[in-house]
Amino acid sequence: MSSEPTPEIARRDVRRRRSLVAQTTLALFGRTGALVGAAWIGLTALLGILAPFLANSRPLVWQVKNDAGEWVKQYPLFQFLTPQDVMLLVGFVLIIGLAFCYKAGGKLFWVWLMPMTVTIVCSLIFHLIPEHVQLVKSVRNETVEISTIIRWWVQWVLVAGVLLGLFVTAAVKLKRSLNWLVVASVISAVIGGVLITPQMHIKPRPHLAYDDIRNKIEVGDAKDALFVILPYSPDDRQNDAPVDPDRLPPGPSPSESDVAADMVSYMETEFGSIRLIALDQAENIVTPAPETIEEVYTAADRLWAAYQAQNQDDPEYNPAAAETLNERIRATLGDYAETGIGKRYHLMGTTSNGEDLTSRMIHGSRIALYIGFISTGIAVFIGIVLGGLLGYFAGWVDMIGLRLVEIFASIPVIMLLIMIVAFYGRSLVLMMVVLGLTGWVGYAYFVRAEFLKLRNMDYVMAARAAGTPLWVILFRHMLPNGVAPVLVGASFGIAGAIMTEATLSFLGLGLEDEPSWGQMLNQSRQGGSFSWWLAIYPGSAIFLTVFAYNLIGEALRDVIDPRAVK
């Protein structure tokens, strides 16, 4: 009895198999909460990466006169980019490349690693050359000991050795795939060529004050200036601004009443702290506060008359000097009236120092990224290594290791950070390191529990019997099957790190010069009054960011939980 041959299955009918990572990712972002959280986190990350090109007081390009009186085109914004700016931009481009090259598999990591090492090296070269020159001058002037420059050299030679080792390792890994090696080499060469161009020199530049930029344009020493969307840097205090920044809540631009109130405040100070309300009380009248320029000049006449009456009996009173003072005040009022109304635009208002709040919010997203991902990355790495060793060896190793874990679990992180700030000052790097070195306890517990379960699995026993190296067993066979709880904890850990930084900054113990969201919250209650716009916008950003990470963590926990899968 013969059977009919089985018909061949058409290629289009064969369903494409997806890896576990792909299935988990699709299930995760198929949930509305995770999708909304990822969208917000992606927006903040994009704002942080592109911050210099979204909010900057320096023009993208302009023309200025050189010593010969000729117009020369310059690129101030690019000239003042920091290594941090360039590395974020290049890293962003490379991450986009990762998304398009997902099919490349394991080779893609090494293709990515080569350009990244070149980026870091080129950025450091132009940053460190002036620093080395300054150290050499200090040694020659005997203000710095020779041991300082020796330590400097040792430090950066070690860094260069690590980077060179990574580059060579990536090239060796790609040696068998000549096409990928060529691609990585070309990308590295292009990035290196871009970073050594004059426009992208990453080195300290002479300070160019923001006021000087505006003054050059105003007096005609610069022309054809092209600015970014928001022409304010986060540290631009706008000392030349005609309106008191303390009085600038959110709004499209200063109104005439805002300018009038500031002009009155300026006159009251210049005329010996004589106040209009005191004149009204003396004359037993009630005069509305000036809201127009004409009313300001009327108030100026009253203040000038009161100033003369108050000082005319003073033997040291000089009428000529007083008239000069009056003329100077009148001239300043004219400048206020001409340049104050409608000349500035602050979408979210300004801080007490005259800094644009929108610009600081955009640049502050970088702090949230750094403090979240770097500190959590350090904690996850330590937790995986220690937890894996404890779970794999068990026994007395596990017993001793758990005592170490309990010691770190008992450390009060906030109190430790306060002590470090007191002794070593405020530093973002120190804050990230401390959070990373104290936040690994939970991840170690998760990994230990998973490895205790996996250590007796058949594939682990077979790998051990075959003489597989320990690190291969731990990190290539066991870790992929036990890392899921760590990913869930990491999403909550990022949110916790952001909250810790915001708490310290709100208490006045966080960052000083960096535009941190928590620092802006602290500024909202300074100056004797409550500035609601300095509380609403940063507070909302902190809440939404922490909430987004929690949404992703909750969704990821449901996705990887087999009891929740229907």
Side-chain angles (χ1 to χ4, degrees), residues 531-547:
S531 303
W532 63 265
W533 60 94
L534 290 176
I536 293 296
Y537 296 113
S540 300
I542 294 172
F543 166 75
L544 291 174
T545 303
V546 172
F547 185 57

Side-chain angles (χ1 to χ4, degrees), residues 58 149 167 176 207 259 271 277 288 314 373 421:
R58 298 184 176 93
I149 196 170
F167 185 86
R176 296 180 181 178
H207 178 66
V259 177
F271 280 125
I277 188 172
D314 188 350
F373 283 96
V421 168

